[in-house]
């Protein structure tokens, strides 16, 4: 038999995302393994149908995602603040990406706390290892909807540099 080495980094990436998002997500056609997101930049999209600014941002994000960002390696995961499963299903039907299962309210609360979500819509960008790129992905994507600077990793400031 052929031995295929398993790299610890591969294992760590899958488990880091699964730790954050759980083992499976919801797609348009049913359950999707979280491990299928390995190597992608993840956008956690905290939103709800009852929120007017969310309803304004969702179609824009969906357009940018379908036009450019998905092909550049962005995977969006909708984290719902809808009041019930029916509202979630109706709103999620308008979205071309994945979602945290609505029933997993405890994980939704954990994510909101972990990423300091104060209001919605909020768009948190993560590396595939679970590290935060930015908590303000909404500004990053709004200023660069075609993803020219994707994945929008902030420039580090060197010592002696001014950032006035």
């Amino acid at each position: 038999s052929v031995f295929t080495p398993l790299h610890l980094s591969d294992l760590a990436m899958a488990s880091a995302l699964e730790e954050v998002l759980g083992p499976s997500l919801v797609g348009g056609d049913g359950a999707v393994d979280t491990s299928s997101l390995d190597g992608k930049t993840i956008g956690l999209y905290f939103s709800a149908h009852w929120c007017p600014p969310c309803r304004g941002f969702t179609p824009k994000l969906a357009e940018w995602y379908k036009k450019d960002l998905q092909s550049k390696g962005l995977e969006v995961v909708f984290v719902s603040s809808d009041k019930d499963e029916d509202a979630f299903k109706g709103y999620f039907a308008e979205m071309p990406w994945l979602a945290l299962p609505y029933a997993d309210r405890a994980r939704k609360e954990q994510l909101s706390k972990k990423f300091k979500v104060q209001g919605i819509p909020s768009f948190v960008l993560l590396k595939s290892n679970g590290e935060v790129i930015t908590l303000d992905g909404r500004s990053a994507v709004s200023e660069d909807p075609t993803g020219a600077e994707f994945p929008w990793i902030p420039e580090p400031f060197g010592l002696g540099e001014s950032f006035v």
Side-chain angles (χ1 to χ4, degrees), residues 65-94:
Y65 173 80
K66 288 187 291 195
K67 188 166 176 269
D68 293 297
L69 302 176
Q70 182 179 25
S71 64
K72 291 190 175 181
L74 177 69
E75 190 49 71
V76 177
V77 177
F78 170 44
V79 182
S80 174
S81 290
D82 286 302
K83 301 210 183 309
D84 57 46
E85 179 105 24
D86 286 345
F88 160 77
K89 284 179 178 166
Y91 193 36
F92 181 53
E94 302 170 18

Side-chain angles (χ1 to χ4, degrees), residues 13-69:
M13 277 198 325
S15 62
L17 270 186
E18 286 178 45
E19 219 171 87
V20 174
L21 298 171
S24 71
L25 299 165
V26 180
D29 300 322
V32 174
D33 285 345
T34 302
S35 61
S36 69
L37 306 184
D38 289 356
K40 298 195 175 193
T41 299
I42 310 302
L44 297 179
Y45 182 42
F46 295 85
S47 185
H49 187 263
W50 53 260
C51 154
C54 298
R55 288 201 313 271
F57 184 65
T58 298
K60 289 182 195 163
L61 183 60
E63 179 188 328
W64 300 333
Y65 173 80
K66 288 187 291 195
K67 188 166 176 269
D68 293 297
L69 302 176

